[in-house]
Amino acid sequence: MDDKKMVNVIIDDKHIQVPAGTTIHTAAKEVGINIPTLCYLNLKDFGCVNKVASCRVCVVEVEGKGNLAPACSTPVFEGMKVCTNSIRVLNSRKTVLELMLSDHPKDCLTCQKSGECELQDLAISFGIREIKYKGKESTYRKDATKSIIRDRDKCIMCRRCETMCNEVQTVGVLSAIDRGFNAVVSTALEMDLKDSVCTFCGQCVAVCPTGALVERDATWDVLAALANPKKTVIVQTAPAVRTALGEEFGYPAGTGVTGKLAAALRKLGFNKVFDTDFAADLTIMEEASELLDRLTRYKAGDKTVKLPLLTSCCPAWVNFFEHNFPDLLDIPSSAKSPMQMFSAVAKNIYTKELGIDRKDLVVVSVMPCLAKKYEADREEFSKDGNYDTDIVITTRELARLIKYANINFHSLEDEDFDKPLGESTGAGVIFGRTGGVIEAALRTAADWYTGESLEKIDYKEVRGLEGVRSADVKVGDLDLKIGIAHGLGEARKLLNEIRAGKSQYHAIEIMACKGGCIGGGGQPYHHGDTEILKKRISVINSEDTSKTLRKSHENPYIKRLYEAYFDKPMSHNAHELLHTRYFEKNKI
């Protein structure tokens, strides 16, 4: 069918002209008619659409058709007449919902998704007050990791997570198993997520309409630490958190709340409130040095140099290449992520300045990402059993903490982060969006390579929301080819090129989530809406341009840190504390 051909359709007596092939659901939306659904999810900007038509909540009447049609997967045709609100349609939807609820746990009061559950919302909108259908209920064992909890009793077989995991992220952990009453979305051989190739990116959690997939909540761990008088509790917060936290309190997407964020964390009782942007500047000192070192040796004819250099800030991405590309483990930068650099400095240097043992310092990290919970639990980021990062909570969990504490977020006056670990440049801020890490690295690498303080620091050629982007960047006499990918499916394309020896890039930035950290699995739910992601990116860019200093190597506190402890980037001391190594992961 020619998608460019326009057809005339009537939906609830409203006339509309849409391209042939458009679904009834999409066409209805064009005229302001909302058709409820649980399985449908438009991830077109992510590269796919989940339209398995499994929930049957979106059924409508089509004139001339005997059966009700699922609006999400039924294409329109010339002259089609659709009714979305007949008694037959409403009864069918209500019956479907009642059947779903009959095989669904009744723990809504304690479910983590309560208030965010789409099944709950539909039950409320249909006025369902009793479960008419009684019978056997599905029971599965729970699977709890440091990052994600799977409660398959709450799975409604919408298969959104399967689409996200397989088609967008190309990780391939989740799929439908069994048939009939026993059908559920699970892992191969029903193995635990920790034993699978799961990267813990959390994108499955972000699209799940119920409590079947949620993050492991650590809010009460934070409160317990704050209540312990023997502990000094500090907090760091990632750049992407400030772009979305306001959404949890009714602010429109694109509202920056950096000052209120710092104020709220201080009111919660943290001894010091720091900014992960400081550590992002620190990361650039090491990563930009590593890039220049490889480029310089490559230019001099060293055939052993591994290019392209891959950024290493995203733990889901690190997990992805450890599982799937173990032959390329020597290509990524060995620099730790900003979160882990901050925690390493806090536990090994800041504690000395405070005069306390590292075991008496609790480092809490507020992150937009579920994989950060996994990253904090990696054994190499610990010393004598004491982890560098003690607790990780997401943006959503922080919002819950603020609400627990009865803090009026709207009335908070803006406050600053504490120094020295709270001082940052614009380069640290842009780590929160796709293209930001490599742009920050270019700002510093260009100055160091040319020996000048260059005025051109906005590398707009690396910005954008295309899944894979290429940019040609001139740095002195170097013509650099830069690659950027966000989303693990897009990353796989670039890694396959490297493996095949076809990559022309000198450096590649990869982030596991669409949009970068601003679209992380721990952020307020955006349901694949790229307009929300664009607005969050605008917060990042605005904060960057408002900074007096916009290059990581100009951060005065970073300079002092090197003078006092590291001497210079890539030094022995810097490698000991700020760098890591990667491991081949065994697949079951």
Side-chain angles (χ1 to χ4, degrees), residues 374-517:
Y374 150 83
E375 181 186 31
D377 198 51
R378 288 180 67 126
E379 193 173 332
E380 63 266 29
F381 299 138
S382 66
K383 182 178 180 181
D384 299 326
N386 178 254
Y387 286 86
D388 293 340
T389 303
D390 295 283
I391 305 170
V392 176
I393 60 172
T394 63
T395 308
R396 293 193 295 265
E397 287 172 86
L398 175 60
R400 289 199 287 271
L401 266 178
I402 293 170
K403 292 169 184 176
Y404 292 161
N406 199 31
I407 295 171
N408 187 332
F409 192 79
H410 291 266
S411 68
L412 292 173
E413 297 290 333
D414 287 355
E415 295 182 12
D416 292 326
F417 294 106
D418 291 311
K419 294 178 173 52
L421 305 184
E423 187 66 29
S424 63
T425 70
V429 175
I430 60 176
F431 264 59
R433 62 158 169 81
T434 175
V437 175
I438 200 66
E439 181 172 353
L442 287 169
R443 291 179 186 181
T444 288
D447 275 17
W448 283 349
Y449 185 78
T450 62
E452 303 175 22
S453 181
L454 301 177
E455 293 185 8
K456 180 190 178 301
I457 64 171
D458 290 311
Y459 292 91
K460 295 182 179 180
E461 55 266 53
V462 304
R463 301 179 187 179
L465 272 177
E466 300 84 2
V468 174
R469 305 189 297 283
S470 296
D472 296 307
V473 178
K474 184 81 171 176
V475 175
D477 60 354
L478 291 176
D479 292 309
L480 300 182
K481 187 93 173 166
I482 305 297
I484 305 99
H486 56 123
L488 293 176
E490 306 292 0
R492 187 182 290 276
K493 297 174 185 176
L494 296 185
L495 289 169
N496 283 332
E497 288 181 5
I498 297 171
R499 178 177 274 170
K502 297 179 180 179
S503 177
Q504 301 299 311
Y505 295 113
H506 297 98
I508 297 175
E509 176 203 285
I510 294 178
M511 294 185 180
C513 300
K514 289 290 183 177
C517 301

Side-chain angles (χ1 to χ4, degrees), residues 179-192:
R179 299 181 66 82
F181 182 78
N182 295 320
V184 71
V185 173
S186 188
T187 56
L189 306 177
E190 297 196 50
M191 71 177 74
D192 291 337

Side-chain angles (χ1 to χ4, degrees), residues 62 241 289 364 410 425 527:
V62 177
V241 174
S289 297
V364 176
H410 291 266
T425 70
H527 305 294

Side-chain angles (χ1 to χ4, degrees), residues 231 347 351-352 354-362 386:
K231 301 292 185 181
K347 284 290 182 83
T351 51
K352 292 177 182 177
L354 294 178
I356 63 174
D357 189 279
R358 62 174 282 145
K359 292 181 180 178
D360 293 324
L361 180 70
V362 177
N386 178 254

